[in-house]
Amino acid sequence: MKFRLVVQTLVVLLFVSFPVRANNSRPFYLRTTVTMNGVEVPAGIYNLSWESQNSKVRVTLWKDGLFFATAQGNWVKNGVKYTGDAALLRVNSDGSRSLMEIRLAGVKKTIVLENNIESKLQVGAR
């Protein structure tokens, strides 16, 4: 009887010790080549995943199971749920495009990406 109780206790402890992760990934389509955190990302279908901690978020793009690019950002509340995924781009002076926001279908929040490259350039400039 003690053996059975010990086994049941161990099984419960195993289930409790594994963290439950929400499904924070989905396919994400980029219609044009963009720059994300200094990395050129060609147009195509990617797997977008994100990890959140309060309002901070880290997004990662994967393609064919391989890491492609990552960036830090913030969740910003919006009053309307988006009907489709969208990428908000900034057209730079050289004609390239930088990924500024990621809007996810069915969510009332936007991921606003931090532009780390410009911040580093401004700090280093005198």
Side-chain angles (χ1 to χ4, degrees):
M1 199 57 138
K2 283 186 177 183
F3 179 74
R4 186 174 181 184
L5 181 62
V6 170
V7 170
Q8 289 175 343
T9 304
L10 287 175
V11 168
V12 169
L13 287 174
L14 278 174
F15 282 118
V16 173
S17 66
F18 287 110
V20 176
R21 295 190 73 183
N23 185 12
N24 292 337
S25 74
R26 64 172 65 186
F28 191 73
Y29 178 62
L30 290 171
R31 295 178 190 227
T32 185
T33 299
V34 299
T35 301
M36 179 174 151
N37 200 22
V39 176
E40 188 173 289
V41 181
I45 298 175
Y46 293 86
N47 184 28
L48 172 72
S49 63
W50 61 93
E51 298 173 22
S52 297
Q53 185 174 22
N54 298 324
S55 66
K56 296 286 186 185
V57 62
R58 180 185 182 131
V59 296
T60 305
L61 292 177
W62 302 83
K63 188 163 190 166
D64 301 325
L66 300 174
F67 169 82
F68 208 88
T70 191
Q72 296 287 98
N74 294 297
W75 285 108
V76 177
K77 291 182 182 181
N78 188 356
V80 179
K81 282 187 183 181
Y82 294 108
T83 57
D85 292 343
L88 181 67
L89 308 177
R90 177 184 67 205
V91 179
N92 302 313
S93 59
D94 63 357
S96 64
R97 291 172 169 80
S98 296
L99 183 59
M100 302 302 293
E101 289 184 21
I102 298 172
R103 298 174 178 177
L104 303 172
V107 179
K108 288 187 175 182
K109 297 186 284 185
T110 298
I111 299 172
V112 178
L113 299 178
E114 296 173 2
N115 196 345
N116 294 331
I117 300 303
E118 285 185 10
S119 301
K120 290 177 186 174
L121 291 175
Q122 289 175 355
V123 171
R126 291 185 182 212

